[in-house]
Amino acid sequence: MGETPAVRRIGLLGGTFDPIHYGHLVIAEEVRATLALSEVAFIPAGQPPHKPGRPVTPAEHRLAMLRLAIASNPAFSLCEIEIERPGPSYTVDTLRLLRERWGAQPVYLAFILGADSLAEFTSWYNAAGVLAQLDCLVAVGRPGYRPPQELVTALEERLPGIRERLRVVNAPYLSISASDLRRRVAERRPIKYQTPESVEAYIAQHQLYRESVPREPAEGRSSYVQDAHAS
């Protein structure tokens, strides 16, 4: 009899990554280490259904910046599944397609979201279908954060099984947001030490984000995946 194949323990971190910054990278590494994941896959969205009114930077640029940002970490990978398919990117469809792509290969899937987004999880498109395809739902918060018990109880009532899949990971808090970085570039203000130097150089070389942009309060000031995966 052949050996049982090893289980791939994969974390999934989605978002527009427009641009990728150190907040995203810190979260990915903290979750990887805490849950002993073999890899964390960054999944850039095509056109996020929760941001229909804002034009998103072309995928070629967001992909290029992602590749530059994760190049030094062999445990980080890039998944282009949402870029490859047209239309809105719904998490439930992405998970289904990934499961189909991996076939019979045993995979442990941990989906990463910001703690601030946990309360909204039940409003996601086919949230039950999303949860059914996950082994772990990771809520990332600042050091010391624990979700209120009443929130967990309410989530469990609406989505039975979420309590046993939920894992809270505390990560260093970096007050960085992609919308603020775009605004700083437009205002000719520095973004050094907020995103990798390779990404900073790419933004300058291709003159991205040079036009002024309106404020986007929904994206927030937190680095905890506020601009993350489409739901």
Side-chain angles (χ1 to χ4, degrees), residues 115 118-119 145-155 163 166 168:
L118 185 59
Y145 168 80
R146 298 297 302 176
Q149 190 56 48
E150 56 269 25
L151 171 59
V152 177
T153 299
L155 290 171
R163 189 195 303 268
L166 181 62
V168 176

Side-chain angles (χ1 to χ4, degrees), residues 61-195:
H61 292 307
R62 291 185 289 122
L63 287 171
M65 289 187 286
L66 264 168
R67 290 191 184 96
L68 291 169
I70 68 176
S72 64
N73 192 330
F76 288 173
S77 62
L78 178 59
C79 177
E80 300 180 31
I81 192 168
E82 295 192 350
I83 299 293
E84 294 167 351
R85 74 177 194 265
S89 301
Y90 290 106
T91 301
V92 66
D93 297 329
T94 297
L95 295 175
R96 175 181 54 80
L97 290 170
L98 287 174
R99 290 284 188 184
E100 291 176 358
R101 177 176 295 182
W102 289 318
Q105 181 180 14
V107 174
Y108 174 97
L109 283 186
F111 188 84
I112 305 166
L113 52 71
D116 293 344
S117 300
L118 185 59
E120 304 169 2
F121 184 74
T122 56
S123 68
W124 287 21
Y125 176 75
N126 195 357
V130 172
L131 187 65
Q133 298 181 77
L134 296 176
D135 298 286
C136 183
L137 180 66
V138 187
V140 182
R142 68 180 67 203
Y145 168 80
R146 298 297 302 176
Q149 190 56 48
E150 56 269 25
L151 171 59
V152 177
T153 299
L155 290 171
E156 180 68 23
E157 289 175 353
R158 298 191 63 179
L159 286 174
I162 192 172
R163 189 195 303 268
E164 64 185 33
R165 288 181 174 86
L166 181 62
R167 179 70 182 272
V168 176
V169 173
N170 295 149
Y173 178 73
L174 302 181
S175 184
I176 304 173
S177 75
S179 60
D180 185 57
L181 292 186
R182 295 192 299 271
R183 188 174 304 110
R184 291 179 71 88
V185 173
E187 296 171 355
R188 307 304 192 266
R189 297 164 65 197
I191 60 173
K192 187 176 291 293
Y193 309 123
Q194 297 186 65
T195 191

Side-chain angles (χ1 to χ4, degrees), residues 192-208:
K192 187 176 291 293
Y193 309 123
Q194 297 186 65
T195 191
E197 289 187 358
S198 56
V199 174
E200 179 188 4
Y202 186 93
I203 290 171
Q205 177 186 355
H206 294 272
Q207 299 187 9
L208 303 180

